[in-house]
Amino acid sequence: MKKTSLIIPLFKRFIKETVTGKRVKKNGERIKPGSVQNYDHLLTNLTRFSNDTKFELRICDASKLNKREFLSEKNYWKKFYLKFTDYLYKKDCHDNYVGSNIKIIRAFFNYLKNDKDLSTGDFQRFFYVRKEEVEIFVLSPEQLKFLIHDKEFEQMLTPGLRRIKDIFVFGCTTGLRYSDVFLLTNKNFEKMEGEWYLKLKSQKTKTFSFIKLPAYAVIIYQRYQSQNSKVSVFGQTSLTLFNKSLKKIGEQAGFTAPVEVSREKQGKTHKITKKTDDSKNRFCDKMSSHMMRRTAVTTLLILGMPEHLVRKISGHSYASSSFNRYVHYAQAYIDEEIDKVYSKLETY
């Protein structure tokens, strides 16, 4: 009879060794807390799946199986993949979320094989990772200019919202990620021959950026700069509060045009409609920290900056698929504006 080990205790050890730094990336770097948080979510999903479906989660050393047992184990893991993904889809999860869960399970299998010397049979090769292209929401150049220059609107905001608006505008200008914006100190700002520059190393990609700042971004920096060079220029704000505040700012700015949102399940597109008045599909409801970087990249492209220079500023590699999405979005915007001009020539 084949000897089995329970998955949940093994997965908990996988998480613990990641947290303590015993398990690291291939380049020796520690795995970020955000990834560990995703592991915790998967642990919850696996536990609930096993309890709700009565599916026993176990694994055995494939090197000790005979041919019939190996085939049985192979079928077990194929069955697990189908049942677990179906369970998540019935919970109204979409392809990106389901795919990220499966991606972690594949990493877990590699951990068992490489770190714990457990022959897994490489059954994870049957676990297909689905991905979906989620629609990009960015500020148009007109919307960004409104947030930058409209003083009457700015005076309508509470001091707290005004600060979030300033940080958001700064991010939409420099293309920084939320995590990088709140790590900025006075040391990241340098004045050279009368011009201000932002210099930093991305926390995520480790790439260096040296960005010339426009006058309005310099004013924002000077408004919040601290006397202590080690303290964050923009202070601290939780991601949840930041995103919630952006939605309020967008609503007050009148960015309330309805938007159509669609997601994919098992490769099929489903239009998402909200039934309650509390959760409307308006542009302002889609505003979040992710919009800063996306807006900066698309704005530079829309206003005519060459792609290779935009990549240099944003830190995107030439193989980056996400950057190509920005290019396509920017082209669609340009085409729309050209159509408006041409439509005026159609009538006589």
Side-chain angles (χ1 to χ4, degrees), residues 150-326:
D150 197 297
K151 298 302 177 186
E152 185 177 340
F153 168 71
E154 189 173 272
Q155 292 305 313
M156 290 169 53
L157 299 175
T158 63
L161 289 181
R162 201 174 305 155
R163 171 177 164 270
I164 297 296
K165 190 268 292 183
D166 283 344
I167 297 170
F168 182 63
V169 166
F170 190 88
C172 288
T173 301
T174 58
L176 298 184
R177 295 178 177 84
Y178 169 87
S179 56
D180 289 325
V181 167
F182 285 95
L183 288 177
L184 294 177
T185 66
N186 290 339
K187 293 179 180 179
N188 295 110
F189 296 83
E190 184 175 327
K191 192 173 185 180
M192 297 171 56
E193 298 180 357
E195 302 288 353
W196 280 93
Y197 291 83
L198 177 67
K199 54 179 184 176
L200 79 158
K201 182 179 181 182
S202 171
Q203 188 182 35
K204 181 177 180 180
T205 64
K206 309 303 179 185
T207 55
F208 286 94
S209 297
F210 197 65
I211 307 167
K212 184 179 179 181
L213 296 175
Y216 67 84
V218 175
I219 291 172
I220 291 173
Y221 158 61
Q222 292 175 335
R223 188 177 293 160
Y224 299 98
Q225 68 177 355
S226 170
Q227 297 301 316
N228 187 339
S229 61
K230 294 182 180 180
V231 175
S232 169
V233 169
F234 296 117
Q236 297 298 323
T237 300
S238 73
L239 181 58
T240 301
L241 177 60
F242 188 79
N243 288 336
K244 189 175 180 180
S245 299
L246 286 182
K247 290 170 175 54
K248 288 182 181 178
I249 292 167
E251 185 174 40
Q252 291 189 41
F255 301 163
T256 54
V259 293
E260 187 173 304
V261 181
S262 61
R263 297 293 302 272
E264 291 183 7
K265 288 185 178 182
Q266 296 175 296
K268 295 180 181 179
T269 302
H270 297 265
K271 183 179 177 181
I272 296 177
T273 55
K274 301 293 185 181
K275 296 180 181 179
T276 63
D277 291 335
D278 295 331
S279 302
K280 299 175 183 176
N281 280 335
R282 303 173 300 172
F283 182 86
C284 60
D285 299 318
K286 306 305 171 188
M287 291 179 67
S288 71
S289 62
H290 294 298
M291 195 176 274
M292 296 191 297
R293 184 165 170 78
R294 294 166 180 172
T295 295
V297 173
T298 52
T299 299
L300 293 173
L301 290 168
I302 287 169
L303 298 182
M305 180 176 283
E307 285 182 32
H308 70 281
L309 294 180
V310 179
R311 286 181 190 274
K312 188 173 180 61
I313 291 173
S314 66
H316 281 98
S317 69
Y318 282 92
S320 172
S321 58
S322 63
F323 185 84
N324 292 331
R325 292 182 67 205
Y326 299 139

Side-chain angles (χ1 to χ4, degrees), residues 36-49:
V36 176
Q37 195 173 41
N38 292 334
Y39 298 169
D40 289 331
H41 290 318
L42 173 56
L43 176 61
T44 300
N45 288 336
L46 288 172
T47 304
R48 288 176 177 172
F49 162 72

Side-chain angles (χ1 to χ4, degrees), residues 61-195:
D61 191 334
S63 66
K64 298 178 180 179
L65 303 179
N66 59 38
K67 187 174 181 180
R68 184 184 60 79
E69 290 172 334
F70 187 88
L71 181 61
S72 174
E73 194 68 8
K74 177 180 176 181
N75 290 332
Y76 166 85
W77 285 110
K78 282 186 174 181
K79 184 179 179 181
F80 160 77
Y81 174 80
L82 291 173
K83 282 187 170 292
F84 181 61
T85 55
D86 185 59
Y87 176 81
L88 293 179
Y89 283 125
K90 285 180 178 177
K91 294 289 184 182
D92 205 29
C93 300
H94 298 95
D95 280 350
N96 276 350
Y97 182 78
V98 175
S100 67
N101 274 251
I102 297 301
K103 194 174 180 180
I104 296 170
I105 292 174
R106 287 170 62 168
F108 170 63
F109 263 70
N110 290 330
Y111 157 81
L112 294 177
K113 178 182 177 181
N114 301 324
D115 294 29
K116 298 303 172 187
D117 298 321
L118 177 65
S119 177
T120 62
D122 290 332
F123 298 120
Q124 74 271 23
R125 68 183 186 275
F126 301 117
F127 300 168
Y128 181 72
V129 177
R130 287 191 178 274
K131 293 181 180 180
E132 58 176 322
E133 292 288 350
V134 180
E135 189 173 357
I136 297 174
F137 290 103
V138 303
L139 294 182
S140 68
E142 292 76 19
Q143 288 173 317
L144 181 55
K145 285 171 68 176
F146 175 83
L147 294 181
I148 294 169
H149 299 295
D150 197 297
K151 298 302 177 186
E152 185 177 340
F153 168 71
E154 189 173 272
Q155 292 305 313
M156 290 169 53
L157 299 175
T158 63
L161 289 181
R162 201 174 305 155
R163 171 177 164 270
I164 297 296
K165 190 268 292 183
D166 283 344
I167 297 170
F168 182 63
V169 166
F170 190 88
C172 288
T173 301
T174 58
L176 298 184
R177 295 178 177 84
Y178 169 87
S179 56
D180 289 325
V181 167
F182 285 95
L183 288 177
L184 294 177
T185 66
N186 290 339
K187 293 179 180 179
N188 295 110
F189 296 83
E190 184 175 327
K191 192 173 185 180
M192 297 171 56
E193 298 180 357
E195 302 288 353

